[in-house]
Amino acid sequence: MNETSLTPPLHETPWTHEQFEAQLRALGAGYHIHHPFNVRLNSGRCSPDEIRGWVANRFYYQINIPLKDAAIMSNCDDRATRRRWVQRILDHDGYGDDAGGIEAWVRLAEAVGIERDRLWSLTQVTPGVRFAVDAYVNFARRAPWQEAVCSSLTEMFAPQIHKDRLAGWPDLYPWIAAPGLQYFRSRIPLAQRDVEHGLAVTLDYFKTPAQQRRALDILQFKLDILWSMLDAIERAYSS
């Protein structure tokens, strides 16, 4: 588990929106950008087999994102929220001429040397990654929709991890065809858009000190999910 998982003690008065947002963003110190495997990945120290293992396992997360978002919508009684949230499903599953984020990840897999059919077979997915991703989807199914929205706020920290890959991978891993990196490029503006909505819901819903602490715990839970996935991948593929 991530060693930075402690959240601040319960405060006596509610934080303002600015203070609350600052507390949420402070948890970014535990984002998986700091995981040893990701540090090696983005510094050019991962082997092709390790990269392929990461891509294949992360794919299980990618294909479950629309299921998580559909679960949030199924629990949400606010039409305005559903009208905005459904875009996340379309972003990943695709619509019209847009192939979507899942297909972009498939192309990344092909670029690192994983055949499409093998990727979709999910035979390379480790038990630890399955357990972590399934736990996240089940949380979204069972929790109040506002809590599930809060869990999505790891997107606050995502643009930097994508920017790091785009900046470093072309030189560090020249054997990966450049078009395969399109997923990372596409997610930067989408993540920023999604954060704006998710953060507004969270700041408005979690109002009391106990609720605000609950929000921090939820976000930490999601951070732990992502950290645990890399723990499992590192154990399976690192020599």
Side-chain angles (χ1 to χ4, degrees):
M1 180 178 290
N2 181 5
E3 294 180 356
T4 61
S5 62
L6 295 179
T7 51
L10 186 62
H11 45 296
E12 295 182 356
T13 58
W15 287 314
T16 65
H17 277 194
E18 291 75 17
Q19 292 169 328
F20 186 20
E21 180 176 346
Q23 292 289 342
L24 291 165
R25 290 187 179 277
L27 292 182
Y31 190 52
H32 67 295
I33 194 172
H34 305 295
H35 191 285
F37 186 89
N38 187 72
V39 172
R40 289 198 301 111
L41 184 65
N42 281 0
S43 59
R45 292 182 285 136
C46 278
S47 68
D49 282 345
E50 287 175 317
I51 293 174
R52 284 190 281 269
W54 175 77
V55 170
N57 276 269
R58 180 78 184 192
F59 182 63
Y60 188 65
Y61 179 81
Q62 301 303 132
I63 62 174
N64 273 279
I65 290 175
L67 303 185
K68 175 267 299 183
D69 288 324
I72 292 174
M73 290 184 60
S74 72
N75 291 330
C76 180
D77 59 359
D78 181 71
R79 180 171 179 259
T81 296
R82 294 196 306 270
R83 284 168 61 87
R84 294 185 67 175
W85 207 266
V86 70
Q87 185 61 50
R88 296 175 184 238
I89 297 176
L90 300 177
D91 288 341
H92 282 84
D93 279 340
Y95 64 97
D97 295 331
D98 183 352
I102 291 175
E103 178 60 23
W105 197 269
V106 173
R107 292 172 184 172
L108 170 64
E110 291 176 327
V112 303
I114 304 173
E115 294 180 357
R116 179 181 292 259
D117 289 346
R118 186 182 181 200
L119 181 73
W120 276 104
S121 74
L122 305 180
T123 55
Q124 292 179 272
V125 180
T126 69
V129 167
R130 284 183 183 272
F131 185 86
V133 173
D134 291 351
Y136 181 41
V137 175
N138 286 333
F139 173 79
R141 286 173 175 155
R142 298 172 182 175
W145 67 267
Q146 296 93 337
E147 291 193 355
V149 166
C150 177
S151 72
S152 75
L153 287 180
T154 49
E155 291 278 18
M156 291 189 294
F157 320 120
Q160 188 58 53
I161 206 170
H162 298 321
K163 290 175 183 177
D164 289 349
R165 290 164 185 158
L166 289 168
W169 281 31
D171 292 328
L172 298 172
Y173 305 112
W175 55 274
I176 301 176
L181 305 182
Q182 176 57 30
Y183 176 85
F184 307 132
R185 188 172 293 108
S186 68
R187 284 306 304 170
I188 294 172
L190 297 180
Q192 293 169 339
R193 178 206 67 195
D194 292 346
V195 166
E196 180 182 351
H197 182 212
L199 192 57
V201 170
T202 299
L203 296 178
D204 287 341
Y205 178 74
F206 297 88
K207 296 179 180 179
T208 70
Q211 288 174 329
Q212 291 174 340
R213 174 56 186 263
R214 170 67 176 163
L216 295 179
D217 289 343
I218 290 168
L219 184 53
Q220 185 61 59
F221 160 74
K222 175 62 181 305
L223 290 166
D224 289 344
I225 290 288
L226 297 172
W227 196 275
S228 296
M229 288 172 61
L230 284 188
D231 280 347
I233 294 169
E234 185 173 46
R235 283 193 298 270
Y237 292 96
S238 296
S239 57

